[in-house]
Amino acid sequence: MNELYQNSLFAGVTISLLAYALGMFLKKKLKLGIFNPLLISIVLTIVFLACTGIEYDTYNQGAAYLSWFLTPATVCLAIPLYEQWELLKKNHRAVILGITAGVLTSLGTVLILCKLMNLSHEMYVTMLPKSITTAIGMGVSEELGGYVTITVAVIVITGVLGNIFGELICKIFRITEPISKGLALGASSHAIGTAKAIEIGEIEGAMSSLAIAVTGIMTVVLASLFASFL
């Protein structure tokens, strides 16, 4: 199987897309938040590689092509933001304060939990960019001396959890304002959470798209400061 994957240029892409398609099918069929397509595709891919004995590096040679679409897909999230531009201007103060609160909460909770668990500095800076998009988070982790591969996993897990439980948490705390829900999802669970925000509504999707960009920039600036705290 390793030899087949090495000789096949798009084998990794194929298994990834098939796993995601199955995840989409289960989500539509069962209509449960826990059946997140990305989560299902990750689990299925891991099981497939483990059962077939294919090495990750071999699989990634083909699957890496999918990562090329990460940055363009993130940029495309500016479209719903443009459509809600007037709403953004009317609520710019609340938007800025909301995103700032989200960034400080994310960095602060990582700091507190890492201190409580006596984690090393390397693990601490690895966790700091957990709530920003992978394209930015990898660079932050590498610059601060973290483990980039673990950072990617943490970012994905954060996004999936936000996608699954974000709407439920808003209901529990009776958060009904579309702008608030969108900012919360975008600031806490980046692009994966934004996918959920877009499902909820246009305003939620637009605000979440904005939160991704601003949260990323603020985290890049503040992560270096927080890195010195542990």
Side-chain angles (χ1 to χ4, degrees), residues 25-224:
F25 172 78
L26 292 175
K27 177 68 180 296
K28 292 180 179 179
K29 194 74 173 177
L30 301 175
K31 297 181 180 179
L32 294 174
I34 192 65
F35 289 99
N36 179 273
L38 182 58
L39 177 61
I40 296 297
S41 64
I42 291 173
V43 172
L44 290 177
T45 302
I46 292 174
V47 171
F48 177 80
L49 295 181
C51 293
T52 56
I54 297 173
E55 297 178 359
Y56 172 77
D57 291 337
T58 303
Y59 157 78
N60 195 47
Q61 289 178 3
Y65 295 107
L66 289 174
S67 64
W68 294 355
F69 297 97
L70 180 61
T71 301
T74 304
V75 173
C76 287
L77 293 174
I79 296 175
L81 175 61
Y82 173 77
E83 294 175 346
Q84 301 293 335
W85 184 249
E86 292 300 321
L87 181 64
L88 171 62
K89 289 195 296 183
K90 291 179 181 178
N91 298 275
H92 66 280
R93 291 182 181 177
V95 169
I96 293 173
L97 289 174
I99 296 176
T100 301
V103 173
L104 292 177
T105 300
S106 174
L107 297 175
T109 51
V110 171
L111 173 61
I112 294 171
L113 290 173
C114 286
K115 282 191 173 183
L116 290 175
M117 297 179 183
N118 293 319
L119 296 183
S120 65
H121 176 76
E122 289 76 12
M123 286 304 302
Y124 168 56
V125 295
T126 296
M127 302 287 187
L128 277 179
K130 69 176 181 61
S131 292
I132 60 178
T133 186
T134 308
I136 303 175
M138 292 173 63
V140 172
S141 178
E142 184 177 8
E143 182 179 347
L144 296 178
Y147 305 108
V148 178
T149 52
I150 298 178
T151 297
V152 173
V154 170
I155 290 174
V156 171
I157 292 172
T158 301
V160 171
L161 290 176
N163 186 291
I164 294 173
F165 298 110
E167 189 174 11
L168 175 61
I169 292 174
C170 287
K171 290 180 179 179
I172 292 175
F173 289 96
R174 299 181 181 179
I175 302 173
T176 57
E177 171 60 45
I179 294 177
S180 299
K181 290 194 288 186
L183 292 177
L185 286 167
S188 62
S189 47
H190 49 86
I192 305 177
T194 299
K196 184 63 178 181
I198 293 174
E199 290 180 17
I200 298 173
E202 292 183 4
I203 296 176
E204 289 87 341
M207 294 301 109
S208 187
S209 300
L210 172 66
I212 291 177
V214 180
T215 298
I217 295 172
M218 292 184 67
T219 301
V220 169
V221 175
L222 294 176
S224 298

